[in-house]
Amino acid sequence: MTNKKRIVQKILRVLCLMTLLLNHSISFAQVYGQNGMVVSSNVLASQVGVDILKKGGNAIDATVATAFALAVTHPSAGNIGGGGFLVFMNAAGEATTIDFREKAPLAATADMFLDSAGKLIEDSNHRGLKAVGVPGTVAGLYLAHQKYGKLPWQALVQPSVDLAKKGFVMSWGLYKDALEINEEEKTPDFMYSFFRNTKGEITKPGEIWKQPSLAKTLKLIRDRGQDGFYKGKTADEIENYMKMNGGIMTKKDLEKYTAVERKPVHGTYKEYEIFSMPPPSSGGVALVEMMNIIELVNLDSVKFNSTAYVHLMAEVMRRAFADRAAYIGDPDFNPEMPLDELTSKVFAKKRFDNIDMTKASVSDAALYGHPYDGNNTTHFSVVDKDGNAVSLTYTLEYAYGSQMGSNNLGFIFNNEMGDFNPVPGLTTNSGQIGSPANLIAPEKRMLSSMTPTIVAKNGKPYLIIGSPGGRTIINTVFQTVVNVLGYNMQIDKAIEVMKIHHQWLPDVLLYERHLMSPDTRTALEAMGHHLREVNSLGQLMGITYDADLKVYIGASDSSSPDGGAAGY
Ligand code: DON
């Protein structure tokens, strides 16, 4: 290569990097797109999705491509070793969902995390390979594509193969994760080496990070579809890794896994229609219950962020979470769940009527609660030029899930078994729930809080929204929907403004520090609320439609270090 060529190449590389960095710095503001949009927690993955849209792919195609790309570029939560939910609305306003939640392995039992005295062995439901549920992501994306996709499957998986094989620029966000993981005492070997280059050093920001084993695993999925993961070489290696390291999942579990298409939970708020995820997520039911209650309130008289606002929202959340704990689990194991009742206007009135606007109610474990989960699921929203929309949330449960995986496969297993109720019958004031609907059983799906949601106006997708955050998801999505529908906020504002979280038990009201005034806090405490500050709640990724301008507006939460919207 001549010197001149070398210099030109160097300039091109610098320009590429600058474009990337520029993208990063502008991506938190609103992004406008007339033809399509993807908003995710990694701007490179958002761009992969938009490239698919530009090639004529529809929203489902872009979703599949983005989801696989996130498995490479956002490995704390983007995944092939976990599971999740997808809500799809076509341009005609018809909605459906795909449930690809993990399942308990065949060898799982209700008391598998208890000692001989019936006590939960601390952390056992979240640490080690027994905590791994049978992954659902590949099956879910495959089913969505088979039913509603347009472009060939291979074309949708290829970008993620390229990202894993050729690598991408290490971001500061990922680098921070890598440093933190390496400081943890119990970091498993797999995770310890995850971010390291061939010399054994953690890849630094600005350097290219490659994942060759993951590229091979993705190639098999690209070439063989679902079977490339659940059968053959990958399945053999998963079983082998599980056997060698104390797991219980087998090839039979993988072979038996299926994703399921389910009818969405449906509700209304004024002129809007809400479509969200049904059980095994509790998100949709709780969201509709809370929206029904809020519809009974004249929000003009409840100023946003006032004491009355926080009190009202917290009381609404408290009630919905008590109902969640009492009734909701995997529908295939709980055929009698009163879903119609919980989402009815009459039921909402009953719940609304006993809210005292002057003082906090008391949460009582004898009636019916989960510790606060971290911020490590991921949500993305997609819309295409025809107005088809997808809202998808998927997770490994904790950040980097179980932190375990086979070096030959290059992906991380979830620790989703921790979402089951661990001790039959034991509901505590600290928030552990023991109700029957969500006890462990073979092939059962664990209860989730993920709330991918699409709100329609005039029969067309109007707001596409979702978030990570464990149980806080339901509440941050709820507040963002109320912000847009009830308080007429623009999507970026609706995502950024103050969020709170109350989950019935523990009886604690979390709020975003710096965003609630000291006077409001004092007033709330005087009403009997138990306040606790947190740095931030939720990491919302949303799109709205501006019917006047005929344009989609996307925004990603500023709490997402690498997130961003891409539109065209
Ligand atoms: O499905 C659920 O509700 C949880 N496994 C989600 C976990 C989560 O969001 C963790 N952090 N953001």
Side-chain angles (χ1 to χ4, degrees):
M1 197 188 300
T2 63
N3 254 355
K4 203 166 153 195
K5 262 192 177 165
R6 239 181 242 130
I7 292 169
V8 170
Q9 275 200 351
K10 208 165 185 177
I11 292 174
L12 280 176
R13 239 181 272 139
V14 171
L15 279 176
C16 263
L17 195 64
M18 278 171 64
T19 313
L20 263 175
L21 294 174
L22 196 65
N23 260 338
H24 273 63
S25 58
I26 61 170
S27 59
F28 301 136
Q30 292 186 356
V31 172
Y32 288 73
Q34 269 185 303
N35 299 299
M37 173 92 63
V38 180
V39 190
S40 82
S41 39
N42 184 278
V43 76
L44 299 174
S46 300
Q47 193 57 51
V48 164
V50 164
D51 290 345
I52 292 293
L53 293 178
K54 287 185 181 164
K55 286 182 184 150
N58 63 18
I60 289 287
D61 295 327
T63 296
V64 170
T66 304
F68 281 117
L70 283 167
V72 183
T73 61
H74 185 65
S76 62
N79 69 80
I80 55 175
F85 303 115
L86 176 162
V87 178
F88 172 53
M89 182 181 284
N90 66 19
E94 295 152 354
T96 187
T97 76
I98 306 281
D99 166 6
F100 54 99
R101 181 70 161 165
E102 299 93 324
K103 283 182 166 195
L106 289 158
T109 59
D111 58 1
M112 64 187 279
F113 297 116
L114 308 187
D115 62 18
S116 54
K119 275 188 129 176
L120 177 64
I121 304 164
E122 201 182 329
D123 251 5
S124 63
N125 55 343
H126 274 121
R127 278 203 187 271
L129 290 176
K130 288 200 177 72
V132 181
V134 184
T137 297
V138 177
L141 298 175
Y142 195 69
L143 177 64
H145 177 260
Q146 291 266 301
K147 295 204 89 158
Y148 304 108
K150 209 165 124 190
L151 295 185
W153 172 258
Q154 290 78 0
L156 309 178
V157 189
Q158 186 62 43
S160 63
V161 172
D162 292 341
L163 278 166
K165 190 173 172 202
K166 298 180 190 158
F168 63 96
V169 179
M170 184 80 167
S171 71
W172 282 99
L174 277 177
Y175 182 63
K176 187 164 175 264
D177 281 3
L179 293 182
E180 276 168 13
I181 284 167
N182 276 269
E183 275 165 16
E184 278 172 27
E185 250 173 57
K186 291 185 195 160
T187 301
D189 295 347
F190 173 75
M191 212 58 224
Y192 182 80
S193 57
F194 192 64
F195 288 109
R196 290 176 191 265
N197 58 24
T198 46
K199 287 186 247 153
E201 298 156 345
I202 293 177
T203 312
K204 301 218 168 35
E207 290 177 358
I208 300 290
W209 179 44
K210 297 181 183 175
Q211 300 170 75
S213 301
L214 178 59
K216 283 188 205 142
T217 303
L218 287 166
K219 266 189 201 159
L220 286 171
I221 296 169
R222 175 196 66 189
D223 297 340
R224 298 188 54 217
Q226 174 167 341
D227 287 353
F229 184 85
Y230 293 92
K231 291 179 180 167
K233 264 188 175 171
T234 302
D236 289 346
E237 177 60 21
I238 292 176
E239 182 174 83
N240 183 41
Y241 180 76
M242 290 285 158
K243 261 193 198 146
M244 304 287 293
N245 296 283
I248 57 173
M249 194 199 304
T250 63
K251 283 201 285 195
K252 189 147 184 222
D253 284 306
L254 293 163
E255 208 178 303
K256 286 194 82 179
Y257 184 87
T258 49
V260 192
E261 184 163 14
R262 299 188 193 274
K263 209 172 134 232
V265 171
H266 174 251
T268 58
Y269 176 82
K270 298 183 179 169
E271 74 266 39
Y272 301 96
E273 284 191 273
I274 301 161
F275 296 90
S276 192
M277 200 62 212
S281 179
S282 55
V285 173
L287 174 67
V288 168
E289 178 180 341
M290 295 194 289
M291 292 303 296
N292 283 337
I293 303 177
I294 285 298
E295 199 180 40
L296 296 164
V297 179
N298 174 9
L299 289 181
D300 291 341
S301 67
V302 183
K303 294 285 173 243
F304 179 76
N305 221 353
S306 61
T307 304
Y309 165 86
V310 178
H311 174 69
L312 173 69
M313 297 304 261
E315 291 303 317
V316 171
M317 292 168 182
R318 187 198 306 272
R319 282 155 180 74
F321 270 77
D323 292 328
R324 168 195 190 273
Y327 298 116
I328 308 182
D330 183 346
D332 298 340
F333 286 72
N334 296 284
E336 308 286 320
M337 290 183 289
L339 302 184
D340 290 341
E341 188 187 349
L342 292 171
T343 55
S344 74
K345 304 279 182 195
V346 173
F347 185 80
K349 177 82 172 61
K350 213 164 80 184
R351 287 287 181 263
F352 175 69
D353 280 348
N354 63 24
I355 295 179
D356 181 338
M357 280 307 285
T358 64
K359 68 174 201 288
S361 321
V362 173
S363 295
D364 184 352
L367 302 170
Y368 261 93
H370 211 141
Y372 169 59
D373 303 308
N375 222 2
N376 291 299
T377 297
T378 193
H379 174 84
F380 63 93
S381 296
V382 180
V383 71
D384 66 23
K385 65 175 176 11
D386 299 319
N388 302 298
V390 172
S391 187
L392 184 150
T393 316
Y394 67 160
T395 185
L396 292 168
E397 165 65 348
Y398 281 2
Y400 302 96
S402 65
Q403 296 199 352
M404 296 180 80
S406 155
N407 284 320
N408 298 327
L409 297 172
F411 70 87
I412 305 164
F413 288 111
N414 67 82
N415 58 344
E416 220 75 57
M417 292 292 285
D419 274 356
F420 279 115
N421 296 348
V423 188
L426 184 67
T427 295
T428 66
N429 277 337
S430 64
Q432 187 172 298
I433 303 173
S435 57
N438 187 37
L439 296 179
I440 306 174
E443 294 192 89
K444 188 172 175 179
R445 291 176 152 98
M446 55 295 280
L447 181 63
S448 172
S449 299
M450 292 186 282
T451 316
T453 297
I454 300 178
V455 176
K457 187 178 179 180
N458 300 324
K460 305 248 181 253
Y462 172 67
L463 167 66
I464 309 155
I465 192 75
S467 177
R471 291 185 192 191
T472 72
I473 296 173
I474 304 175
N475 289 333
T476 58
V477 170
F478 166 54
Q479 288 162 96
T480 308
V481 173
V482 172
N483 290 347
V484 175
L485 272 43
Y487 287 105
N488 295 318
M489 288 185 206
Q490 294 254 15
I491 186 69
D492 57 337
K493 269 280 184 291
I495 284 173
E496 292 299 324
V497 291
M498 204 274 299
K499 302 289 184 307
I500 61 160
H501 171 71
H502 197 297
Q503 60 173 48
W504 179 51
L505 292 172
D507 190 354
V508 170
L509 203 171
L510 304 183
Y511 68 94
E512 290 183 305
R513 62 199 280 262
H514 306 310
L515 296 182
M516 187 191 277
S517 89
D519 294 351
T520 305
R521 297 201 304 257
T522 307
L524 287 164
E525 271 159 1
M527 291 168 86
H529 288 286
H530 310 286
L531 269 63
R532 190 189 308 153
E533 64 173 29
V534 291
N535 282 336
S536 88
L537 287 166
Q539 208 168 84
L540 293 128
M541 302 285 153
I543 302 176
T544 47
Y545 182 60
D546 185 322
D548 297 331
L549 290 176
K550 296 195 173 41
V551 72
Y552 294 104
I553 309 174
S556 76
D557 204 318
S558 62
S559 63
S560 167
D562 295 333
Y568 81 109

